[in-house]
């Protein structure tokens, strides 16, 4: 497995987070969106976190998808508590050695050493402030899949607490708490920043740039080093294939491995085979979405259709939506029926629909929007079963 590092990008973000770049608002929180499997977590953990640490920043990383059964609020609290504990552990050990029982961190916050490691009693704001003082350096909290915090009330509360910690700890020219939030769906992340009631109202969502020409050049060099018979590798061809793989390195590298394998039986150039593999993958992804859609009950299909059609404007039960369902199904649908359909879209594995603690809905996989759009423009919406059945028969 190869690891390609994006050092320059990480450096730029470090500067921005510390409020050192002239423009931008990253010191108020950096919100990064990029599609699934495009390398967000790898970048945050492998490039951004080390760059921050090198710059003298204490980094706390938490992935809210690490365990979806646990409450996002708890996961955030635990990650902070763990970092705090390792620092207090040191302070406490030193204190013990010289015979001191109570620990005062940096002269400001009293920490009851018996509570070390427990976040309860200590609010998130206090915990972050204690961590900053105990570490005696600025703190960066990186929350991966941050949109997941909005699916529970405790998660929402945690987000509001983080906003408040940021406002208390940062002053112009002095950033002590940096917040980085990432997610695979821009629309969902938007709910953290977009309306006046949102915790980070006023912040912008940035697109984390996909891996691109530098990554392709790196891969091409690796191939050329290993297979002198293939020099020069067609970089433009690789680039096209990578784009067709949706800039997802995992699928791209797997296909590279397959077409370059001595077992592939291919002769001549490997680049066309790679592009073919990319098209096959795309067709396979689309076939999966189609079969998921066709496997739904008619009411579920209608609700999902509306959601794909409306995007962030989707309101499941307004008069327009109910009219839409009736029109597509040829019979009226009650609010309860629509509700039931939404619930079962959410309960499927894998879930097709995401719901926030405030009752907002979105499709789980943003790639579905593109699939819908392409089919719509190609006159191929809605998908129909092979036998040519109308998808909206009886239930
Ligand atoms: N810079 C990179 N160099 C090489 N491979 C990479 C790089 N970034 C990501 N990958 C590979 O791509 C795959 C997905 O990466 P990662 O988990 O970081 O993506 P993600 O966007 O966080 O995905 P998810 O949406 O599932 O959370 C992994 O198999 C990883 O090894
Ligand atoms: Mg990830």
């Amino acid at each position: 497995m190869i690891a390609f590092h994006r050092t320059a990008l990480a450096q730029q973000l470090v500067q921005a987070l510390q409020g050192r770049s002239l423009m931008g608002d990253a010191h108020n929180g950096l919100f990064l969106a990029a599609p699934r499997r495009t390398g967000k977590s790898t970048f945050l953990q492998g490039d951004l976190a080390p760059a921050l640490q090198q710059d003298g920043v204490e980094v706390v990383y938490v992935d809210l998808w690490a365990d979806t059964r646990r409450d996002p609020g708890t996961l955030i609290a635990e990650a902070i508590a763990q970092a705090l504990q390792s620092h207090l552990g040191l302070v406490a050990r030193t204190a013990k050695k010289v015979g001191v029982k109570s620990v005062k961190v940096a002269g400001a916050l009293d920490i009851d050493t018996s509570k070390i490691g427990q976040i309860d009693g200590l609010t998130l704001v206090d915990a972050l402030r204690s961590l900053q003082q105990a570490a005696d350096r600025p703190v960066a909290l990186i929350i991966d899949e941050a949109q997941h915090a909005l699916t529970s009330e405790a998660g929402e509360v945690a987000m509001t607490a983080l906003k408040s910690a940021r406002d208390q700890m940062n002053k112009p020219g002095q950033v002590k708490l940096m917040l980085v939030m990432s997610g695979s769906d821009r629309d969902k992340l938007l709910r953290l920043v977009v309306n006046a009631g949102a915790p980070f109202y006023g912040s912008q969502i940035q697109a984390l740039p996909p891996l691109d020409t530098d990554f392709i050049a790196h891969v091409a060099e690796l191939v050329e080093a290993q297979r002198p018979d293939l020099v020069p590798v067609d970089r433009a061809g690789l680039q096209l294939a990578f784009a067709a793989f949706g800039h997802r390195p995992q699928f791209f590298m797997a296909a590279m491995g397959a077409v370059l394998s001595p077992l592939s039986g291919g002769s001549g150039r490997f680049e066309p085979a790679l592009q073919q593999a990319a098209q096959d993958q795309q067709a396979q992804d689309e076939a999966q979405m189609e079969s998921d859609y066709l496997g739904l009950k008619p009411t579920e299909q209608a609700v999902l259709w509306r959601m794909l059609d409306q995007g962030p404007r989707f309101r499941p039960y307004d008069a327009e939506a109910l009219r839409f369902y009736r029109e597509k199904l040829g019979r009226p649908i009650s609010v309860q029926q629509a509700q039931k359909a939404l619930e079962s879209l959410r309960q499927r594995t894998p879930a097709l629909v995401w719901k926030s603690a405030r009752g907002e809905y979105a499709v789980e996989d943003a790639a579905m929007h593109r699939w819908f759009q392409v089919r719509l423009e190609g006159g191929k919406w809605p998908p129909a079963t092979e036998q040519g059945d109308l998808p909206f028969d009886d239930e």
Side-chain angles (χ1 to χ4, degrees):
M1 207 179 76
I2 64 146
F4 172 74
H5 287 281
R6 293 199 267 177
T7 323
L9 179 61
Q11 279 307 332
Q12 282 169 14
L13 295 184
V14 169
Q15 297 303 318
L17 280 167
Q18 315 234 35
R20 290 197 208 120
S21 44
L22 271 181
M23 297 324 154
D25 176 58
H27 55 281
N28 278 322
L30 182 60
F31 296 83
L32 295 172
R36 301 245 22 222
R37 307 309 291 162
T38 51
K40 297 178 298 294
S41 303
T42 304
F43 174 73
L44 294 176
Q45 292 177 280
D47 297 326
L48 186 60
L52 282 163
Q53 279 156 350
Q54 278 244 303
D55 212 54
V57 176
E58 175 77 18
V59 178
V60 180
Y61 172 89
V62 52
D63 179 358
L64 298 188
W65 266 355
D67 187 347
T68 46
R69 289 161 307 177
R70 313 265 323 272
D71 188 89
T74 316
L75 288 174
I76 295 174
E78 276 181 4
I80 298 168
Q82 209 168 28
L84 180 61
Q85 190 176 16
S86 66
H87 279 283
L88 289 182
L90 184 68
V91 176
R93 270 200 303 281
T94 332
K96 210 173 176 184
K97 221 188 287 174
V98 296
V100 182
K101 274 177 193 151
S102 68
V103 180
K104 215 167 158 95
V105 178
L109 267 182
D110 272 317
I111 305 261
D112 180 350
T113 48
S114 67
K115 290 233 179 80
I116 290 172
Q118 299 173 347
I119 201 98
D120 43 301
L122 215 57
T123 68
L124 272 186
V125 183
D126 283 344
L128 280 166
R129 215 201 302 246
S130 304
L131 175 60
Q132 190 271 315
Q133 286 169 357
D136 194 21
R137 38 173 65 186
V139 171
L141 178 60
I142 303 180
I143 304 186
D144 207 351
E145 303 299 348
Q147 80 285 346
H148 196 58
L150 296 181
T151 57
S152 85
E153 257 171 56
E156 279 204 331
V157 169
M159 284 294 165
T160 311
L162 294 181
K163 186 246 178 224
S164 150
R166 174 201 73 187
D167 294 347
Q168 291 177 40
M169 289 167 70
N170 294 349
K171 287 198 272 298
Q174 193 187 42
V175 179
K176 287 187 174 168
L177 177 64
M178 299 160 222
L179 298 171
V180 181
M181 316 245 177
S182 89
S184 34
D185 187 335
R186 194 172 171 280
D187 287 346
K188 287 179 206 153
L189 272 186
L190 266 179
R191 291 168 214 258
L192 280 165
V193 305
V194 82
N195 40 47
F200 296 97
Y201 178 58
S203 287
Q204 303 292 319
I205 310 283
Q206 320 268 354
L208 179 67
L211 287 161
D212 209 17
T213 38
D214 296 347
F215 173 70
I216 292 301
H218 179 73
V219 172
E221 277 162 32
L222 286 177
V223 174
E224 287 175 346
Q226 278 183 20
R227 293 281 304 271
D229 57 311
L230 291 174
V231 176
V233 165
D234 171 11
R235 284 155 173 75
L238 291 199
Q239 181 86 39
L240 278 176
F242 187 54
F245 273 115
H247 295 94
R248 293 173 296 183
Q250 183 186 4
F251 302 136
F252 175 74
M253 293 309 291
M256 285 284 281
V259 297
L260 288 173
S261 156
L263 305 174
S264 74
S267 55
R269 301 303 303 182
F270 72 100
E271 292 91 340
L274 189 66
Q275 287 181 26
Q276 185 57 51
Q279 277 157 25
D280 292 349
Q281 168 86 40
Q282 231 169 10
Q284 195 186 320
D285 286 356
E286 283 167 12
Q288 181 63 50
M289 287 191 238
E290 181 170 335
S291 90
D292 284 348
Y293 184 87
L294 290 173
L296 297 174
K297 295 199 179 103
T299 322
E300 294 164 3
Q301 289 183 342
V303 171
L304 185 59
W305 182 347
R306 179 73 179 169
M307 202 179 281
L308 290 168
D309 185 56
Q310 294 288 299
R313 295 182 310 273
F314 175 71
R315 302 283 174 276
Y317 318 122
D318 64 7
E320 289 283 322
L322 294 175
R323 193 171 321 137
F324 180 93
Y325 307 145
R326 188 175 57 219
E327 184 193 308
K328 301 303 173 201
L329 289 162
R331 61 185 158 83
I333 288 296
S334 67
V335 168
Q336 286 76 15
Q337 283 168 312
Q339 213 161 17
K340 193 168 148 251
L342 268 171
E343 240 358 79
S344 68
L345 288 170
R346 215 158 74 81
Q347 298 305 335
R348 287 168 46 101
T349 14
L352 287 176
V353 161
W354 175 92
K355 184 189 183 196
S356 79
R358 287 161 196 251
E360 300 151 319
Y361 293 91
V363 290
E364 184 69 58
D365 180 3
M368 254 200 165
H369 281 293
R370 205 181 39 237
W371 169 70
F372 171 73
Q373 214 50 49
V374 169
R375 285 197 79 115
L376 196 66
E377 281 158 19
K380 287 197 274 181
W381 186 269
T385 47
E386 296 234 325
Q387 296 80 19
D389 295 351
L390 284 172
F392 294 115
D393 287 355
D394 51 293
E395 192 152 1

